Each structure stands twice: as C-alpha cells, then as structure tokens.
Amino acid sequence: MSIRESLSIQGVGATPILVAHGTRSEHGVAMIADLAEKVSAQIGSTRVAFVDVLGPSPSEILREVDGSAIVVPAFLAEGYHVRKDLPDHIAASGHAATSVSRALGPDPELARVLAQRLTECGWRRGDSVVLAAAGSSDLFALGQVRRAATLLGAMIGERVPVGYVATASPRIADVVADTRSRTGRRVFIASYLLAHGLFHDRLHAAGADGVAQPLGADPRVVDLVVRRMRSVRPVLANS
C-alpha cells in the first residue's frame, strides 16, 4: 500500500502539511518549496507553513483545511518551535483533526546526507569536522543536536564537536578555532541546517577551511519526511 493510499484510508482526505522555520532568503524558501514539491510527488499535494519570519503560518493553513491534517515539523531537533509554537498554532486554528509527527532529526539518514555534503565541499578522511546548528534554549533540543553529532561521528569515524550559530554555546567560531588548535588539521563545518538563510551565511565567517551545504531536498530527506508521515495515524475529522 502506498502512503497516498494509506492516508486516504486512515483519514479521509488527510492533508499533508510541512512546517518549517522560515527565512528571508529567497534561496532558502525555494529549497523548502523544492522539498515540499518532491514530497508531493510521493504522497499528493503537500502544503507548506512557517512558524517565523514569513507566512503562511500553520494556523492559517489549518483554517483552510477541510478534513484531517497531518503535520510534519521540518526541524532537525524538537525545541521551542516544535514543542511550543506548533501546538499553539494548532490550538489557535481550532482544527481538532490534526496529527503531528516527530521532527526530522536526529536521524541516521540525516547523518548520511551530512557526510555527503562534507565530501562535496572538499572534506577528506583525516580532516576535522564540527557540526554547526542554529541553537536553542531548550535542553532537550540541544541533547538531540549532540545525538546528531554522534551519528555523524560514527559515519565518518571520528568525534564531532558541536558549535552553535545563535542562542546556545559554544559558538561555532570558537569550536572551529579550538578544534584547529587541538588537532592541527583542516577543519570543515557540517551544516546541520535544512535550508539556506542567515544562519548558514554566518558559517562562512567562522574560520573553517570549508562549509558544507545545508541538507536541502536530498532524496533521503524527502524519504524521511514521507516516513514521518507514514508513522502517524491521522485523527478523523468527525472523531
């Protein structure tokens, strides 16, 4: 049974909604749109909402939805936006027939994409790697970022320290400098970000020898969104 058929049977007309952070970067918005388009090719038309910076918001999208909705948080850790903002938007929408999946990360598939992005930017075995994340005030989310670094480290065969662009510490530039001093090797940044935007732009000023591209709409990311969708049983609109 395909995911499209599963959604139709479990929740009549269940509408898939991909919820991302939001960015002023046109390139970043295009990357999220590309991800949603590729997901749509597998499961049917997928709406996109943003919790910050630009719209439409999840509450605005949900008010337009008839029947059940399944929301996939396109976040790499379950911090404030996933655990507070998104439930608030759902409550504000008044749309009771809404199911929410796990966030995308951490996940071994994302570690595989990160490793490929590192190779694409010039990283080679023997070079050092640091993982760069946006940051969060949520300790649970920070623990998930460290888990992502552990998964990447297992993939490339060495410990991967974490640095943050905003909110949390240590900051990425400090981690790059410390890693270079400690190892005497080239240092590359694995960008634990989904799309281009201000945070990714800041990584180029962190002093690394190379900065990997964001995860983007890699086929493995697309498949992960679909798997997250499949893992949730929709709430029926008349339940």
Side-chain angles (χ1 to χ4, degrees), residues 184-224:
R185 300 184 294 182
R186 297 198 306 168
V187 181
F188 285 78
I189 293 176
S191 178
Y192 195 52
L193 300 168
L194 187 60
H196 279 280
L198 177 61
F199 289 163
H200 184 78
D201 291 343
R202 288 179 178 174
L203 298 182
H204 293 281
D209 294 282
V211 176
Q213 291 295 308
L215 293 161
D218 183 275
R220 288 161 293 192
V221 178
V222 175
D223 289 343
L224 182 58

PDB file of all heavy atoms in Angstrom, residues 184-224:
ATOM      1  N   GLY A 184      45.493  20.407  14.826  1.00  0.00           N
ATOM      2  CA  GLY A 184      46.459  20.816  13.817  1.00  0.00           C
ATOM      3  C   GLY A 184      46.058  20.423  12.411  1.00  0.00           C
ATOM      4  O   GLY A 184      46.892  20.408  11.495  1.00  0.00           O
ATOM      5  N   ARG A 185      44.782  20.145  12.225  1.00  0.00           N
ATOM      6  CA  ARG A 185      44.306  19.688  10.912  1.00  0.00           C
ATOM      7  C   ARG A 185      43.354  20.707  10.292  1.00  0.00           C
ATOM      8  O   ARG A 185      42.929  21.649  10.947  1.00  0.00           O
ATOM      9  CB  ARG A 185      43.582  18.348  11.056  1.00  0.00           C
ATOM     10  CG  ARG A 185      44.451  17.227  11.625  1.00  0.00           C
ATOM     11  CD  ARG A 185      43.710  15.906  11.661  1.00  0.00           C
ATOM     12  NE  ARG A 185      42.577  15.913  12.581  1.00  0.00           N
ATOM     13  CZ  ARG A 185      41.796  14.849  12.816  1.00  0.00           C
ATOM     14  NH1 ARG A 185      42.023  13.724  12.175  1.00  0.00           N
ATOM     15  NH2 ARG A 185      40.805  14.936  13.676  1.00  0.00           N
ATOM     16  N   ARG A 186      43.043  20.495   9.020  1.00  0.00           N
ATOM     17  CA  ARG A 186      41.994  21.291   8.400  1.00  0.00           C
ATOM     18  C   ARG A 186      40.679  21.017   9.121  1.00  0.00           C
ATOM     19  O   ARG A 186      40.433  19.912   9.609  1.00  0.00           O
ATOM     20  CB  ARG A 186      41.837  20.937   6.923  1.00  0.00           C
ATOM     21  CG  ARG A 186      43.054  21.238   6.066  1.00  0.00           C
ATOM     22  CD  ARG A 186      42.682  21.287   4.580  1.00  0.00           C
ATOM     23  NE  ARG A 186      41.997  20.075   4.123  1.00  0.00           N
ATOM     24  CZ  ARG A 186      41.376  19.960   2.935  1.00  0.00           C
ATOM     25  NH1 ARG A 186      41.362  20.981   2.088  1.00  0.00           N
ATOM     26  NH2 ARG A 186      40.795  18.819   2.585  1.00  0.00           N
ATOM     27  N   VAL A 187      39.821  22.058   9.173  1.00  0.00           N
ATOM     28  CA  VAL A 187      38.548  21.939   9.865  1.00  0.00           C
ATOM     29  C   VAL A 187      37.410  22.286   8.909  1.00  0.00           C
ATOM     30  O   VAL A 187      37.437  23.343   8.264  1.00  0.00           O
ATOM     31  CB  VAL A 187      38.482  22.870  11.097  1.00  0.00           C
ATOM     32  CG1 VAL A 187      37.144  22.706  11.810  1.00  0.00           C
ATOM     33  CG2 VAL A 187      39.635  22.584  12.053  1.00  0.00           C
ATOM     34  N   PHE A 188      36.424  21.401   8.851  1.00  0.00           N
ATOM     35  CA  PHE A 188      35.258  21.607   7.994  1.00  0.00           C
ATOM     36  C   PHE A 188      33.988  21.651   8.846  1.00  0.00           C
ATOM     37  O   PHE A 188      33.870  20.946   9.849  1.00  0.00           O
ATOM     38  CB  PHE A 188      35.142  20.491   6.952  1.00  0.00           C
ATOM     39  CG  PHE A 188      36.143  20.615   5.836  1.00  0.00           C
ATOM     40  CD1 PHE A 188      37.464  20.234   6.040  1.00  0.00           C
ATOM     41  CD2 PHE A 188      35.787  21.129   4.604  1.00  0.00           C
ATOM     42  CE1 PHE A 188      38.404  20.359   5.024  1.00  0.00           C
ATOM     43  CE2 PHE A 188      36.716  21.258   3.582  1.00  0.00           C
ATOM     44  CZ  PHE A 188      38.034  20.872   3.795  1.00  0.00           C
ATOM     45  N   ILE A 189      33.051  22.482   8.413  1.00  0.00           N
ATOM     46  CA  ILE A 189      31.779  22.622   9.119  1.00  0.00           C
ATOM     47  C   ILE A 189      30.699  21.819   8.413  1.00  0.00           C
ATOM     48  O   ILE A 189      30.455  22.008   7.214  1.00  0.00           O
ATOM     49  CB  ILE A 189      31.343  24.096   9.198  1.00  0.00           C
ATOM     50  CG1 ILE A 189      32.299  24.894  10.091  1.00  0.00           C
ATOM     51  CG2 ILE A 189      29.911  24.211   9.730  1.00  0.00           C
ATOM     52  CD1 ILE A 189      31.986  26.383  10.136  1.00  0.00           C
ATOM     53  N   ALA A 190      30.068  20.914   9.152  1.00  0.00           N
ATOM     54  CA  ALA A 190      28.874  20.228   8.676  1.00  0.00           C
ATOM     55  C   ALA A 190      27.670  21.071   9.091  1.00  0.00           C
ATOM     56  O   ALA A 190      27.435  21.284  10.275  1.00  0.00           O
ATOM     57  CB  ALA A 190      28.782  18.831   9.282  1.00  0.00           C
ATOM     58  N   SER A 191      26.949  21.579   8.114  1.00  0.00           N
ATOM     59  CA  SER A 191      25.842  22.490   8.378  1.00  0.00           C
ATOM     60  C   SER A 191      24.580  21.698   8.719  1.00  0.00           C
ATOM     61  O   SER A 191      23.930  21.129   7.840  1.00  0.00           O
ATOM     62  CB  SER A 191      25.597  23.374   7.142  1.00  0.00           C
ATOM     63  OG  SER A 191      24.505  24.239   7.350  1.00  0.00           O
ATOM     64  N   TYR A 192      24.247  21.662  10.018  1.00  0.00           N
ATOM     65  CA  TYR A 192      23.043  20.957  10.449  1.00  0.00           C
ATOM     66  C   TYR A 192      21.854  21.916  10.363  1.00  0.00           C
ATOM     67  O   TYR A 192      21.218  22.283  11.348  1.00  0.00           O
ATOM     68  CB  TYR A 192      23.234  20.438  11.869  1.00  0.00           C
ATOM     69  CG  TYR A 192      22.217  19.398  12.296  1.00  0.00           C
ATOM     70  CD1 TYR A 192      21.971  18.265  11.522  1.00  0.00           C
ATOM     71  CD2 TYR A 192      21.520  19.537  13.492  1.00  0.00           C
ATOM     72  CE1 TYR A 192      21.050  17.313  11.913  1.00  0.00           C
ATOM     73  CE2 TYR A 192      20.595  18.584  13.906  1.00  0.00           C
ATOM     74  CZ  TYR A 192      20.369  17.479  13.108  1.00  0.00           C
ATOM     75  OH  TYR A 192      19.456  16.523  13.505  1.00  0.00           O
ATOM     76  N   LEU A 193      21.606  22.337   9.140  1.00  0.00           N
ATOM     77  CA  LEU A 193      20.521  23.249   8.809  1.00  0.00           C
ATOM     78  C   LEU A 193      19.800  22.679   7.600  1.00  0.00           C
ATOM     79  O   LEU A 193      20.424  22.050   6.733  1.00  0.00           O
ATOM     80  CB  LEU A 193      21.063  24.645   8.483  1.00  0.00           C
ATOM     81  CG  LEU A 193      21.848  25.342   9.613  1.00  0.00           C
ATOM     82  CD1 LEU A 193      22.568  26.568   9.073  1.00  0.00           C
ATOM     83  CD2 LEU A 193      20.919  25.736  10.761  1.00  0.00           C
ATOM     84  N   LEU A 194      18.511  22.913   7.522  1.00  0.00           N
ATOM     85  CA  LEU A 194      17.741  22.341   6.427  1.00  0.00           C
ATOM     86  C   LEU A 194      17.881  23.144   5.143  1.00  0.00           C
ATOM     87  O   LEU A 194      17.916  22.574   4.043  1.00  0.00           O
ATOM     88  CB  LEU A 194      16.266  22.244   6.822  1.00  0.00           C
ATOM     89  CG  LEU A 194      15.347  21.507   5.848  1.00  0.00           C
ATOM     90  CD1 LEU A 194      15.792  20.060   5.662  1.00  0.00           C
ATOM     91  CD2 LEU A 194      13.903  21.557   6.351  1.00  0.00           C
ATOM     92  N   ALA A 195      17.986  24.473   5.263  1.00  0.00           N
ATOM     93  CA  ALA A 195      17.980  25.314   4.076  1.00  0.00           C
ATOM     94  C   ALA A 195      18.874  26.537   4.277  1.00  0.00           C
ATOM     95  O   ALA A 195      19.305  26.844   5.390  1.00  0.00           O
ATOM     96  CB  ALA A 195      16.548  25.772   3.762  1.00  0.00           C
ATOM     97  N   HIS A 196      19.146  27.219   3.179  1.00  0.00           N
ATOM     98  CA  HIS A 196      19.942  28.444   3.230  1.00  0.00           C
ATOM     99  C   HIS A 196      19.193  29.540   3.981  1.00  0.00           C
ATOM    100  O   HIS A 196      17.964  29.557   4.038  1.00  0.00           O
ATOM    101  CB  HIS A 196      20.244  28.932   1.810  1.00  0.00           C
ATOM    102  CG  HIS A 196      21.385  28.220   1.174  1.00  0.00           C
ATOM    103  ND1 HIS A 196      22.699  28.521   1.443  1.00  0.00           N
ATOM    104  CD2 HIS A 196      21.411  27.194   0.286  1.00  0.00           C
ATOM    105  CE1 HIS A 196      23.491  27.730   0.737  1.00  0.00           C
ATOM    106  NE2 HIS A 196      22.742  26.911   0.033  1.00  0.00           N
ATOM    107  N   GLY A 197      19.953  30.450   4.556  1.00  0.00           N
ATOM    108  CA  GLY A 197      19.401  31.571   5.285  1.00  0.00           C
ATOM    109  C   GLY A 197      20.508  32.266   6.059  1.00  0.00           C
ATOM    110  O   GLY A 197      21.698  31.990   5.859  1.00  0.00           O
ATOM    111  N   LEU A 198      20.124  33.161   6.955  1.00  0.00           N
ATOM    112  CA  LEU A 198      21.090  33.950   7.710  1.00  0.00           C
ATOM    113  C   LEU A 198      22.043  33.068   8.504  1.00  0.00           C
ATOM    114  O   LEU A 198      23.254  33.323   8.540  1.00  0.00           O
ATOM    115  CB  LEU A 198      20.348  34.893   8.662  1.00  0.00           C
ATOM    116  CG  LEU A 198      21.221  35.748   9.590  1.00  0.00           C
ATOM    117  CD1 LEU A 198      22.126  36.674   8.780  1.00  0.00           C
ATOM    118  CD2 LEU A 198      20.340  36.545  10.552  1.00  0.00           C
ATOM    119  N   PHE A 199      21.523  32.032   9.147  1.00  0.00           N
ATOM    120  CA  PHE A 199      22.380  31.179   9.970  1.00  0.00           C
ATOM    121  C   PHE A 199      23.454  30.488   9.133  1.00  0.00           C
ATOM    122  O   PHE A 199      24.617  30.421   9.528  1.00  0.00           O
ATOM    123  CB  PHE A 199      21.551  30.141  10.727  1.00  0.00           C
ATOM    124  CG  PHE A 199      20.715  30.724  11.838  1.00  0.00           C
ATOM    125  CD1 PHE A 199      19.661  30.006  12.376  1.00  0.00           C
ATOM    126  CD2 PHE A 199      20.982  31.981  12.354  1.00  0.00           C
ATOM    127  CE1 PHE A 199      18.899  30.523  13.407  1.00  0.00           C
ATOM    128  CE2 PHE A 199      20.217  32.525  13.382  1.00  0.00           C
ATOM    129  CZ  PHE A 199      19.170  31.788  13.906  1.00  0.00           C
ATOM    130  N   HIS A 200      23.056  29.973   7.982  1.00  0.00           N
ATOM    131  CA  HIS A 200      24.064  29.314   7.139  1.00  0.00           C
ATOM    132  C   HIS A 200      25.082  30.325   6.626  1.00  0.00           C
ATOM    133  O   HIS A 200      26.286  30.023   6.563  1.00  0.00           O
ATOM    134  CB  HIS A 200      23.401  28.592   5.966  1.00  0.00           C
ATOM    135  CG  HIS A 200      24.390  27.832   5.127  1.00  0.00           C
ATOM    136  ND1 HIS A 200      24.909  26.613   5.503  1.00  0.00           N
ATOM    137  CD2 HIS A 200      24.990  28.146   3.951  1.00  0.00           C
ATOM    138  CE1 HIS A 200      25.780  26.198   4.593  1.00  0.00           C
ATOM    139  NE2 HIS A 200      25.833  27.103   3.650  1.00  0.00           N
ATOM    140  N   ASP A 201      24.635  31.511   6.268  1.00  0.00           N
ATOM    141  CA  ASP A 201      25.561  32.539   5.782  1.00  0.00           C
ATOM    142  C   ASP A 201      26.631  32.851   6.823  1.00  0.00           C
ATOM    143  O   ASP A 201      27.800  33.083   6.486  1.00  0.00           O
ATOM    144  CB  ASP A 201      24.798  33.812   5.427  1.00  0.00           C
ATOM    145  CG  ASP A 201      23.914  33.653   4.186  1.00  0.00           C
ATOM    146  OD1 ASP A 201      24.130  32.691   3.423  1.00  0.00           O
ATOM    147  OD2 ASP A 201      23.008  34.485   4.011  1.00  0.00           O
ATOM    148  N   ARG A 202      26.241  32.860   8.091  1.00  0.00           N
ATOM    149  CA  ARG A 202      27.189  33.185   9.160  1.00  0.00           C
ATOM    150  C   ARG A 202      28.298  32.140   9.298  1.00  0.00           C
ATOM    151  O   ARG A 202      29.379  32.448   9.820  1.00  0.00           O
ATOM    152  CB  ARG A 202      26.447  33.315  10.490  1.00  0.00           C
ATOM    153  CG  ARG A 202      25.586  34.563  10.599  1.00  0.00           C
ATOM    154  CD  ARG A 202      24.864  34.600  11.928  1.00  0.00           C
ATOM    155  NE  ARG A 202      24.058  35.812  12.076  1.00  0.00           N
ATOM    156  CZ  ARG A 202      23.239  36.040  13.093  1.00  0.00           C
ATOM    157  NH1 ARG A 202      23.112  35.117  14.053  1.00  0.00           N
ATOM    158  NH2 ARG A 202      22.543  37.152  13.169  1.00  0.00           N
ATOM    159  N   LEU A 203      28.047  30.930   8.848  1.00  0.00           N
ATOM    160  CA  LEU A 203      29.050  29.876   8.988  1.00  0.00           C
ATOM    161  C   LEU A 203      30.320  30.172   8.190  1.00  0.00           C
ATOM    162  O   LEU A 203      31.408  29.721   8.549  1.00  0.00           O
ATOM    163  CB  LEU A 203      28.464  28.527   8.541  1.00  0.00           C
ATOM    164  CG  LEU A 203      27.262  28.017   9.345  1.00  0.00           C
ATOM    165  CD1 LEU A 203      26.823  26.654   8.821  1.00  0.00           C
ATOM    166  CD2 LEU A 203      27.589  27.958  10.829  1.00  0.00           C
ATOM    167  N   HIS A 204      30.175  30.950   7.126  1.00  0.00           N
ATOM    168  CA  HIS A 204      31.337  31.248   6.275  1.00  0.00           C
ATOM    169  C   HIS A 204      32.318  32.201   6.957  1.00  0.00           C
ATOM    170  O   HIS A 204      33.442  32.366   6.489  1.00  0.00           O
ATOM    171  CB  HIS A 204      30.870  31.817   4.934  1.00  0.00           C
ATOM    172  CG  HIS A 204      30.131  30.811   4.096  1.00  0.00           C
ATOM    173  ND1 HIS A 204      30.780  29.841   3.360  1.00  0.00           N
ATOM    174  CD2 HIS A 204      28.802  30.615   3.915  1.00  0.00           C
ATOM    175  CE1 HIS A 204      29.880  29.100   2.739  1.00  0.00           C
ATOM    176  NE2 HIS A 204      28.679  29.537   3.059  1.00  0.00           N
ATOM    177  N   ALA A 205      31.885  32.817   8.054  1.00  0.00           N
ATOM    178  CA  ALA A 205      32.775  33.719   8.802  1.00  0.00           C
ATOM    179  C   ALA A 205      33.335  33.051  10.056  1.00  0.00           C
ATOM    180  O   ALA A 205      33.924  33.727  10.904  1.00  0.00           O
ATOM    181  CB  ALA A 205      32.016  34.985   9.187  1.00  0.00           C
ATOM    182  N   ALA A 206      33.172  31.724  10.167  1.00  0.00           N
ATOM    183  CA  ALA A 206      33.574  31.021  11.387  1.00  0.00           C
ATOM    184  C   ALA A 206      35.016  30.521  11.344  1.00  0.00           C
ATOM    185  O   ALA A 206      35.482  29.925  12.321  1.00  0.00           O
ATOM    186  CB  ALA A 206      32.631  29.851  11.651  1.00  0.00           C
ATOM    187  N   GLY A 207      35.722  30.756  10.231  1.00  0.00           N
ATOM    188  CA  GLY A 207      37.131  30.413  10.161  1.00  0.00           C
ATOM    189  C   GLY A 207      37.462  29.001   9.737  1.00  0.00           C
ATOM    190  O   GLY A 207      38.615  28.563   9.872  1.00  0.00           O
ATOM    191  N   ALA A 208      36.490  28.267   9.207  1.00  0.00           N
ATOM    192  CA  ALA A 208      36.736  26.893   8.769  1.00  0.00           C
ATOM    193  C   ALA A 208      37.368  26.870   7.384  1.00  0.00           C
ATOM    194  O   ALA A 208      37.328  27.851   6.631  1.00  0.00           O
ATOM    195  CB  ALA A 208      35.427  26.105   8.755  1.00  0.00           C
ATOM    196  N   ASP A 209      37.943  25.737   7.032  1.00  0.00           N
ATOM    197  CA  ASP A 209      38.523  25.549   5.703  1.00  0.00           C
ATOM    198  C   ASP A 209      37.458  25.267   4.653  1.00  0.00           C
ATOM    199  O   ASP A 209      37.714  25.426   3.459  1.00  0.00           O
ATOM    200  CB  ASP A 209      39.535  24.396   5.730  1.00  0.00           C
ATOM    201  CG  ASP A 209      40.744  24.729   6.583  1.00  0.00           C
ATOM    202  OD1 ASP A 209      41.612  25.470   6.097  1.00  0.00           O
ATOM    203  OD2 ASP A 209      40.798  24.276   7.743  1.00  0.00           O
ATOM    204  N   GLY A 210      36.294  24.856   5.088  1.00  0.00           N
ATOM    205  CA  GLY A 210      35.188  24.608   4.173  1.00  0.00           C
ATOM    206  C   GLY A 210      33.884  24.506   4.937  1.00  0.00           C
ATOM    207  O   GLY A 210      33.866  24.101   6.109  1.00  0.00           O
ATOM    208  N   VAL A 211      32.806  24.894   4.282  1.00  0.00           N
ATOM    209  CA  VAL A 211      31.472  24.838   4.892  1.00  0.00           C
ATOM    210  C   VAL A 211      30.566  24.025   3.976  1.00  0.00           C
ATOM    211  O   VAL A 211      30.381  24.373   2.810  1.00  0.00           O
ATOM    212  CB  VAL A 211      30.878  26.246   5.087  1.00  0.00           C
ATOM    213  CG1 VAL A 211      29.454  26.152   5.639  1.00  0.00           C
ATOM    214  CG2 VAL A 211      31.760  27.084   5.994  1.00  0.00           C
ATOM    215  N   ALA A 212      30.032  22.943   4.497  1.00  0.00           N
ATOM    216  CA  ALA A 212      29.142  22.106   3.703  1.00  0.00           C
ATOM    217  C   ALA A 212      27.800  22.805   3.478  1.00  0.00           C
ATOM    218  O   ALA A 212      27.385  23.650   4.269  1.00  0.00           O
ATOM    219  CB  ALA A 212      28.925  20.767   4.401  1.00  0.00           C
ATOM    220  N   GLN A 213      27.135  22.435   2.416  1.00  0.00           N
ATOM    221  CA  GLN A 213      25.811  22.976   2.116  1.00  0.00           C
ATOM    222  C   GLN A 213      24.778  22.429   3.098  1.00  0.00           C
ATOM    223  O   GLN A 213      24.975  21.381   3.726  1.00  0.00           O
ATOM    224  CB  GLN A 213      25.406  22.595   0.690  1.00  0.00           C
ATOM    225  CG  GLN A 213      26.211  23.281  -0.400  1.00  0.00           C
ATOM    226  CD  GLN A 213      25.975  24.788  -0.399  1.00  0.00           C
ATOM    227  OE1 GLN A 213      24.824  25.244  -0.429  1.00  0.00           O
ATOM    228  NE2 GLN A 213      27.048  25.548  -0.357  1.00  0.00           N
ATOM    229  N   PRO A 214      23.647  23.120   3.260  1.00  0.00           N
ATOM    230  CA  PRO A 214      22.565  22.594   4.099  1.00  0.00           C
ATOM    231  C   PRO A 214      22.038  21.266   3.543  1.00  0.00           C
ATOM    232  O   PRO A 214      22.342  20.885   2.406  1.00  0.00           O
ATOM    233  CB  PRO A 214      21.497  23.684   4.029  1.00  0.00           C
ATOM    234  CG  PRO A 214      22.223  24.916   3.595  1.00  0.00           C
ATOM    235  CD  PRO A 214      23.325  24.448   2.706  1.00  0.00           C
ATOM    236  N   LEU A 215      21.215  20.607   4.322  1.00  0.00           N
ATOM    237  CA  LEU A 215      20.690  19.300   3.931  1.00  0.00           C
ATOM    238  C   LEU A 215      19.827  19.377   2.670  1.00  0.00           C
ATOM    239  O   LEU A 215      19.932  18.540   1.778  1.00  0.00           O
ATOM    240  CB  LEU A 215      19.874  18.715   5.087  1.00  0.00           C
ATOM    241  CG  LEU A 215      20.701  18.352   6.327  1.00  0.00           C
ATOM    242  CD1 LEU A 215      19.794  18.229   7.546  1.00  0.00           C
ATOM    243  CD2 LEU A 215      21.478  17.077   6.106  1.00  0.00           C
ATOM    244  N   GLY A 216      18.960  20.380   2.602  1.00  0.00           N
ATOM    245  CA  GLY A 216      18.164  20.608   1.398  1.00  0.00           C
ATOM    246  C   GLY A 216      17.198  19.480   1.082  1.00  0.00           C
ATOM    247  O   GLY A 216      16.830  18.667   1.940  1.00  0.00           O
ATOM    248  N   ALA A 217      16.814  19.413  -0.192  1.00  0.00           N
ATOM    249  CA  ALA A 217      15.805  18.445  -0.639  1.00  0.00           C
ATOM    250  C   ALA A 217      16.466  17.180  -1.177  1.00  0.00           C
ATOM    251  O   ALA A 217      16.063  16.640  -2.209  1.00  0.00           O
ATOM    252  CB  ALA A 217      14.904  19.081  -1.689  1.00  0.00           C
ATOM    253  N   ASP A 218      17.487  16.706  -0.489  1.00  0.00           N
ATOM    254  CA  ASP A 218      18.114  15.444  -0.853  1.00  0.00           C
ATOM    255  C   ASP A 218      17.049  14.337  -0.856  1.00  0.00           C
ATOM    256  O   ASP A 218      16.124  14.362  -0.038  1.00  0.00           O
ATOM    257  CB  ASP A 218      19.209  15.119   0.168  1.00  0.00           C
ATOM    258  CG  ASP A 218      19.969  13.851  -0.164  1.00  0.00           C
ATOM    259  OD1 ASP A 218      19.504  12.753   0.211  1.00  0.00           O
ATOM    260  OD2 ASP A 218      21.037  13.957  -0.797  1.00  0.00           O
ATOM    261  N   PRO A 219      17.144  13.354  -1.759  1.00  0.00           N
ATOM    262  CA  PRO A 219      16.146  12.281  -1.796  1.00  0.00           C
ATOM    263  C   PRO A 219      15.967  11.580  -0.452  1.00  0.00           C
ATOM    264  O   PRO A 219      14.854  11.156  -0.116  1.00  0.00           O
ATOM    265  CB  PRO A 219      16.703  11.323  -2.856  1.00  0.00           C
ATOM    266  CG  PRO A 219      17.496  12.196  -3.772  1.00  0.00           C
ATOM    267  CD  PRO A 219      18.111  13.237  -2.882  1.00  0.00           C
ATOM    268  N   ARG A 220      17.046  11.481   0.346  1.00  0.00           N
ATOM    269  CA  ARG A 220      16.928  10.835   1.648  1.00  0.00           C
ATOM    270  C   ARG A 220      16.141  11.700   2.627  1.00  0.00           C
ATOM    271  O   ARG A 220      15.442  11.176   3.510  1.00  0.00           O
ATOM    272  CB  ARG A 220      18.317  10.508   2.191  1.00  0.00           C
ATOM    273  CG  ARG A 220      18.996   9.356   1.446  1.00  0.00           C
ATOM    274  CD  ARG A 220      20.480   9.328   1.659  1.00  0.00           C
ATOM    275  NE  ARG A 220      21.139  10.485   1.044  1.00  0.00           N
ATOM    276  CZ  ARG A 220      22.444  10.593   0.880  1.00  0.00           C
ATOM    277  NH1 ARG A 220      23.252   9.627   1.288  1.00  0.00           N
ATOM    278  NH2 ARG A 220      22.963  11.668   0.306  1.00  0.00           N
ATOM    279  N   VAL A 221      16.225  13.015   2.485  1.00  0.00           N
ATOM    280  CA  VAL A 221      15.414  13.908   3.315  1.00  0.00           C
ATOM    281  C   VAL A 221      13.946  13.798   2.906  1.00  0.00           C
ATOM    282  O   VAL A 221      13.050  13.750   3.757  1.00  0.00           O
ATOM    283  CB  VAL A 221      15.907  15.365   3.202  1.00  0.00           C
ATOM    284  CG1 VAL A 221      15.020  16.295   4.031  1.00  0.00           C
ATOM    285  CG2 VAL A 221      17.354  15.487   3.648  1.00  0.00           C
ATOM    286  N   VAL A 222      13.709  13.738   1.611  1.00  0.00           N
ATOM    287  CA  VAL A 222      12.340  13.556   1.113  1.00  0.00           C
ATOM    288  C   VAL A 222      11.748  12.265   1.661  1.00  0.00           C
ATOM    289  O   VAL A 222      10.620  12.241   2.178  1.00  0.00           O
ATOM    290  CB  VAL A 222      12.330  13.538  -0.433  1.00  0.00           C
ATOM    291  CG1 VAL A 222      10.925  13.225  -0.956  1.00  0.00           C
ATOM    292  CG2 VAL A 222      12.816  14.868  -0.994  1.00  0.00           C
ATOM    293  N   ASP A 223      12.508  11.173   1.566  1.00  0.00           N
ATOM    294  CA  ASP A 223      12.020   9.882   2.063  1.00  0.00           C
ATOM    295  C   ASP A 223      11.774   9.929   3.574  1.00  0.00           C
ATOM    296  O   ASP A 223      10.839   9.296   4.073  1.00  0.00           O
ATOM    297  CB  ASP A 223      13.024   8.777   1.742  1.00  0.00           C
ATOM    298  CG  ASP A 223      13.079   8.446   0.252  1.00  0.00           C
ATOM    299  OD1 ASP A 223      12.145   8.833  -0.471  1.00  0.00           O
ATOM    300  OD2 ASP A 223      14.049   7.795  -0.170  1.00  0.00           O
ATOM    301  N   LEU A 224      12.592  10.685   4.291  1.00  0.00           N
ATOM    302  CA  LEU A 224      12.418  10.803   5.739  1.00  0.00           C
ATOM    303  C   LEU A 224      11.107  11.521   6.064  1.00  0.00           C
ATOM    304  O   LEU A 224      10.382  11.117   6.987  1.00  0.00           O
ATOM    305  CB  LEU A 224      13.599  11.548   6.349  1.00  0.00           C
ATOM    306  CG  LEU A 224      13.602  11.713   7.873  1.00  0.00           C
ATOM    307  CD1 LEU A 224      13.541  10.365   8.569  1.00  0.00           C
ATOM    308  CD2 LEU A 224      14.836  12.508   8.315  1.00  0.00           C
TER     309      LEU A 224
END
